[in-house]
Amino acid sequence: MTLAQTHPLHAHGTHSSRLIRALRGERPETTPVWFMRQAGRSLPEYRALRVGTKMLDSCFDPAMASEITMQPVRRHKTDAGIFFSDIVVPLKAVGVDVRIEPGRGPVFNAPFAAAADIAKLTAIDPAIMDELGEPIWEGVRRTVAMLLEHGGSDGVAATPLIGFAGAPFTLAAYLVEGGPSKDHLGARALMHTDPAAWEALMTWTAEVTGRFLRGQVLAGASAAQLFDSWAGSLSARDYETHVMPASRQALTHVRDLTYVIPADSDGTPATERAVPTIHFGVGTGELLPLMHDIGVDAIGVDYRITLDEAERRLGGGVVLQGNLDPAMLAAPPAVLEAAVADVLQSGKSAPAHIFNLGHGVPPGTDPAVLTRIVELVHAAQ
Amino acid sequence: MTLAQTHPLHAHGTHSSRLIRALRGERPETTPVWFMRQAGRSLPEYRALRVGTKMLDSCFDPAMASEITMQPVRRHKTDAGIFFSDIVVPLKAVGVDVRIEPGRGPVFNAPFAAAADIAKLTAIDPAIMDELGEPIWEGVRRTVAMLLEHGGSDGVAATPLIGFAGAPFTLAAYLVEGGPSKDHLGARALMHTDPAAWEALMTWTAEVTGRFLRGQVLAGASAAQLFDSWAGSLSARDYETHVMPASRQALTHVRDLTYVIPADSDGTPATERAVPTIHFGVGTGELLPLMHDIGVDAIGVDYRITLDEAERRLGGGVVLQGNLDPAMLAAPPAVLEAAVADVLQSGKSAPAHIFNLGHGVPPGTDPAVLTRIVELVHAAQ
C-alpha cells in the first residue's frame, strides 16, 4: 500500500456536505438523498445526448460521461452525483473485449469459464488500468469541476461525487457466463468445481475493480460505492468463503486515501479521515453483516427488508442507505408520500441515513417523481 | 366448498409412502427425495421425446405428459413424481392465448397491465377449466396408473404423484409483464398504482390455479405443491397485504380433499386426512412464516439459507423440503457428498425432511449426479 494521499476535492468543501457528514455517522439537519442509476435512461436529456453513441463509448468519453453524471444533479437537486459508468468498464479499461447489447447487457466474445480461459484473462496486468483508464479519470476530473461550480445542495458545500465500481463477484458472474444470466449458476458452480481457478479469477477481478475505484477517488470522487449486484444469489456460507475476501481486497485500494476536515474556529484541530465507502447488493438481506465486515462506512439496503430490520441485523451503529421500493414510483402521490415517510422513519434506527431507492431507477420512471422525492426528503423533519 | 372427497389413489398405498408419511410429520426410516424440475431437459430421454413437439403441446398431450413425468422416477428412483407441466398451463386451460418461446419463457400476445385488459381477462369464467383441462386430468390419471405399476421406491407403497401449480403472484407477474421479467416490477407496481385492478387479477388467478390443483388431485395426485417462483421479489409487507390472501384462496380448492389411512391390525381405527400441500418460492427466506401461514403442510426452502435457520424462522414444528444448492451438482464427488450430508444434517431440525434441491434442476445437469444423490440420501442414516 502506498502512503496516504490526501484528497484534493475536500479542500473545496464536500467534507461538510450532507452526504459526507452522514457517511461520518453525523445526522445533518436534512437527510441527504440520491438515487442509484439516477444518471441514465429515465432522463430525456440523457436519451438525447446518447443518440448515436454506444454505451461503453459514452463511458470512455470524458465530456459525455461528466455531462451525463451532472444531469440528474441539476434536475433533481440530489445531494450527490454518482459517476456514470457500467459494471464492465474496469474490464474494458484493462483491455478485455466486451460490448453492451441494448436490452441484454454486457456480452463477452467467449465466457471465461474454464481454468485455461481464466489463466489467459488473469495474465493481464491490472496495473495497465492506471494508463488505459485515463479517459475515466478525466471524466471524473471534469465532473468534479462541474460539481464545484454547481455548488452544494444545501447552498454551502460543493456537491460530492460518488465513485462507482462493481464488486468482484458481480464482475466474475458476467465473466464466467460470458454475459448476463438469471441465477449466476456458472459462477456459483465454478467456486465449487474448481476453487483454485475461482480464487485466481476473484483475486484478479478484485485488483481490477479496486484500481478502478482508486482512480476515481484520486481524480476527485469524495466517496466510493461498491455494487455487488448479484451477491443476493449466494448463500451466506458461499459469500463468506468464496466472495468476501475479494471484496475486502478490492477496498484496500482506497483504504489509504484520506480527506481533511479543516480546523474549526472554536479550536478543534484539523482531522484526517479515510474516504468513505458504501456497499450495496440486491436481495442481500441475509448477507448484511458480512457485507459490512469487509470494512465499509455504510450499507445500502435493498427494498425487501425495512431499514430498522437491517439495522437490527447489523447490530446497530451502522450508517444506512436506502430503500424506497422502485415499485412505488408510479403510485398515486399520497401513496408515494406515505412510502417516503415510512423509509425516513425506519431510517431513524440508524446513526445516519442516506435516502435512496432500494434498487436502481427503472428506465421508464417519470423523472418528475424523482424530483418530487428529493423535495419530500429535504422537507422532512 | 363441496363435501370432502376421498382420494382414490390412497387405496393403492401412497398413504404409507415415505413422501406422504413425511408430509404428515412422521420420520420414515429413509428420507424421501425428489427434485424440482426432475422431469425435463436434464434427461436425454426427455429431449428425445420432445423433438418436434412444442412445450405447451406436450403438457396437453396425456401420453407425453405422463411419460415425461415417469422418466425421472424410473431413472433416479425418486420417492415422488411431479406432474410435468408449466406455470402457464392453467391459463391456457381456461383459453388464454399464451406460447412458450424457447430460451425466453411464457409470452402473451399483449400484457395484462391496464385495468381494462385485466377486466377482459377476469371475465373468463375459471369454471371452464373443469372441461378444457381434461387433457391434463387424463395425463394425471395415466401417470398415477403408471406409478402404481412402477411400485414404491421402498418396495411397499406406490410412488406418489405431486400435483403442480404456480401461485397467483407468479402467474400475475407473467400476465402483467406479458412475459418473463427480471424483477417483476410491472406486477409489483400495479399493486400500488391500481390496488383494485390488482386484487381482481389476483382473485381470478387464485381461482384458476386453485382449480388446476384440485383437478390434479381429483385425478389422482397424492399431494400438491404451490410454486411461487417470484415471491422472493416482494417485501414481507407487500407479500402479506397484496399476495398472501390469493395464495390462501387458491389452496381452498384442495382443502376439502382428503385421503384415508386404513385401520391398523393393532386396532388403530382408519383416519381421514387432508391431501398434503407444499409451498415453495425462490429467495423467500424473509417470507417463510407468511408462506406457511397460508395453510400448508410443508415449506420448500431455497438454497440461500440453511434448513435449520428456516426451521428457526418458522418457529419449529414445520416439515421442510430442500435444499441442496444446484451449484453443487457439478462439484467433485467428495464435495457433493459433503454438501448432501450437510443438508441431511440441517434437515434434522425439522419434524420431517423431504430432500430436494434448493431450486429446479438446471437443464445442463448430468443426470447421473441426480441418481447418485438419490442413492446417497437413501443410504444415509
Side-chain angles (χ1 to χ4, degrees):
Chain A
M1 213 177 298
T2 64
L3 285 176
Q5 291 183 260
T6 301
H7 192 261
L9 182 68
H10 290 276
H12 301 305
T14 66
H15 71 276
S16 62
S17 66
R18 290 169 186 154
L19 178 84
I20 303 300
R21 286 175 59 201
L23 286 170
R24 278 202 297 273
E26 298 173 17
R27 269 219 170 253
E29 47 299 321
T30 301
T31 303
V33 49
W34 66 280
F35 305 108
M36 293 186 283
R37 228 186 286 152
Q38 64 186 15
R41 278 189 287 163
S42 65
L43 301 183
E45 58 268 36
Y46 168 83
R47 297 194 298 269
L49 190 61
R50 271 286 312 280
V51 170
T53 307
K54 286 185 179 159
M55 174 65 191
L56 284 177
D57 290 343
S58 70
C59 295
F60 281 85
D61 176 333
M64 198 174 268
S66 55
E67 173 58 22
I68 291 171
T69 303
M70 286 303 295
Q71 287 174 343
V73 179
R74 287 194 206 106
R75 181 192 268 260
H76 304 310
K77 306 202 189 331
T78 53
D79 293 292
I82 174 87
F83 189 63
F84 178 72
S85 190
D86 183 88
I87 214 96
V88 295
V89 164
L91 297 171
K92 196 173 162 74
V94 293
V96 177
D97 195 3
V98 58
R99 65 189 183 282
I100 294 182
E101 289 186 2
R104 187 170 167 213
V107 178
F108 300 90
N109 283 336
F112 297 91
D117 305 317
I118 291 169
K120 254 183 261 178
L121 180 72
T122 57
I124 300 173
D125 181 358
I128 199 175
M129 182 187 294
D130 298 352
E131 185 186 330
L132 293 185
E134 179 49 31
I136 306 296
W137 323 144
E138 176 59 15
V140 171
R141 284 189 290 265
R142 289 190 190 204
T143 308
V144 168
M146 290 158 91
L147 283 167
L148 183 59
E149 194 178 346
H150 173 79
S153 52
D154 51 3
V156 181
T159 297
L161 178 68
I162 303 171
F164 166 102
F169 173 70
T170 292
L171 280 167
Y174 284 112
L175 287 163
V176 174
E177 300 277 357
S181 68
K182 216 170 70 175
D183 44 16
H184 322 297
L185 191 65
R188 296 196 304 103
L190 184 65
M191 61 181 74
H192 301 291
T193 53
D194 193 341
W198 175 255
E199 202 191 322
L201 176 63
M202 288 294 276
T203 302
W204 180 82
T205 309
E207 287 303 299
V208 168
T209 210
R211 281 171 183 272
F212 184 62
L213 217 44
R214 182 181 185 85
Q216 292 174 70
V217 173
L218 287 176
S222 296
Q225 178 160 325
L226 197 62
F227 285 79
D228 209 349
S229 308
W230 308 141
S233 68
L234 296 160
S235 67
R237 178 150 66 168
D238 279 351
Y239 182 80
E240 186 167 14
T241 309
H242 299 290
V243 170
M244 197 176 161
S247 292
R248 185 180 275 131
Q249 180 194 342
L251 285 184
T252 61
H253 287 271
V254 294
R255 224 177 274 297
D256 62 316
L257 303 179
T258 58
Y259 70 99
V260 170
I261 307 170
D264 207 333
S265 54
D266 69 2
T268 312
T271 51
E272 193 175 1
R273 299 287 297 255
V275 167
T277 50
I278 311 167
H279 196 190
F280 172 78
V282 178
T284 50
E286 311 285 356
L287 307 176
L288 296 181
L290 297 171
M291 289 177 70
H292 183 244
D293 282 353
I294 69 164
V296 290
D297 296 280
I299 284 290
V301 183
D302 139 290
Y303 65 85
R304 286 171 178 81
I305 63 169
T306 58
L307 293 176
D308 49 3
E309 172 61 16
E311 194 65 25
R312 194 191 64 73
R313 293 184 190 186
L314 286 160
V318 176
V319 176
L320 296 185
Q321 177 174 282
N323 71 345
L324 182 73
D325 189 345
M328 289 290 179
L329 295 174
V335 175
L336 176 68
E337 282 179 34
V340 168
D342 266 1
V343 170
L344 285 167
Q345 180 59 36
S346 192
K348 288 182 179 165
S349 61
H353 173 213
I354 299 152
F355 195 98
N356 207 311
L357 301 184
H359 201 323
V361 173
T365 303
D366 173 3
V369 172
L370 299 178
T371 305
R372 176 72 186 137
I373 292 172
V374 172
E375 289 167 358
L376 287 169
V377 173
H378 284 169
Q381 296 304 315
Chain B
M1 209 176 298
T2 63
L3 285 175
Q5 291 182 262
T6 301
H7 191 263
L9 183 69
H10 288 277
H12 302 307
T14 66
H15 70 276
S16 62
S17 67
R18 290 169 187 153
L19 178 84
I20 303 299
R21 286 176 58 200
L23 286 170
R24 281 203 296 272
E26 298 173 16
R27 268 217 171 256
E29 46 301 321
T30 301
T31 303
V33 49
W34 67 279
F35 305 109
M36 291 187 285
R37 227 186 286 153
Q38 64 186 15
R41 276 190 288 165
S42 65
L43 300 183
E45 58 269 35
Y46 168 83
R47 297 194 298 269
L49 190 61
R50 271 286 311 281
V51 170
T53 307
K54 286 184 180 161
M55 175 64 191
L56 284 178
D57 291 342
S58 70
C59 295
F60 280 86
D61 177 332
M64 200 175 264
S66 55
E67 172 59 22
I68 290 171
T69 303
M70 285 303 295
Q71 287 174 343
V73 179
R74 286 195 206 106
R75 182 193 266 261
H76 303 311
K77 306 200 190 330
T78 52
D79 293 292
I82 173 90
F83 189 62
F84 179 71
S85 191
D86 183 86
I87 214 96
V88 295
V89 163
L91 296 172
K92 197 174 164 71
V94 293
V96 176
D97 195 5
V98 57
R99 64 190 183 280
I100 294 182
E101 289 185 3
R104 187 172 167 213
V107 178
F108 299 91
N109 281 337
F112 298 91
D117 305 318
I118 290 170
K120 254 182 263 178
L121 181 70
T122 57
I124 300 174
D125 181 358
I128 199 175
M129 183 187 293
D130 298 352
E131 185 187 331
L132 292 185
E134 178 50 32
I136 306 297
W137 322 144
E138 176 59 16
V140 171
R141 283 190 289 266
R142 289 192 190 202
T143 309
V144 168
M146 289 158 92
L147 283 167
L148 183 59
E149 192 178 349
H150 175 80
S153 52
D154 50 5
V156 181
T159 297
L161 178 67
I162 303 172
F164 166 101
F169 173 71
T170 292
L171 280 168
Y174 284 113
L175 286 163
V176 174
E177 299 278 358
S181 67
K182 217 169 69 175
D183 43 16
H184 321 296
L185 190 65
R188 296 196 304 102
L190 184 65
M191 61 181 74
H192 301 291
T193 54
D194 193 342
W198 175 254
E199 202 192 320
L201 177 63
M202 289 293 276
T203 301
W204 180 82
T205 309
E207 287 303 299
V208 168
T209 211
R211 280 171 184 272
F212 184 63
L213 217 45
R214 181 180 186 86
Q216 292 174 69
V217 173
L218 287 177
S222 296
Q225 179 160 327
L226 198 62
F227 285 79
D228 210 350
S229 310
W230 308 140
S233 68
L234 296 160
S235 67
R237 178 150 64 167
D238 279 351
Y239 181 79
E240 187 167 13
T241 309
H242 298 291
V243 170
M244 199 176 160
S247 292
R248 185 181 277 132
Q249 179 194 341
L251 285 185
T252 61
H253 287 272
V254 293
R255 224 177 274 299
D256 61 318
L257 302 179
T258 59
Y259 69 99
V260 170
I261 308 172
D264 207 333
S265 54
D266 68 3
T268 312
T271 51
E272 193 176 359
R273 300 286 297 255
V275 167
T277 49
I278 311 167
H279 197 189
F280 171 79
V282 179
T284 49
E286 311 285 355
L287 307 177
L288 296 182
L290 297 172
M291 289 178 69
H292 183 243
D293 282 354
I294 69 164
V296 290
D297 295 281
I299 284 290
V301 183
D302 137 291
Y303 63 85
R304 286 168 177 84
I305 63 168
T306 58
L307 292 177
D308 49 3
E309 173 60 15
E311 194 64 27
R312 195 190 63 72
R313 292 182 191 188
L314 285 161
V318 177
V319 176
L320 296 184
Q321 177 174 282
N323 73 346
L324 182 73
D325 188 345
M328 288 292 180
L329 294 174
V335 175
L336 176 68
E337 282 179 35
V340 168
D342 266 1
V343 170
L344 285 167
Q345 180 59 37
S346 191
K348 289 184 177 165
S349 60
H353 173 214
I354 299 153
F355 195 99
N356 207 312
L357 301 184
H359 202 323
V361 173
T365 302
D366 173 3
V369 172
L370 298 178
T371 305
R372 177 73 186 133
I373 292 172
V374 173
E375 290 166 358
L376 288 168
V377 173
H378 284 168
Q381 297 305 315

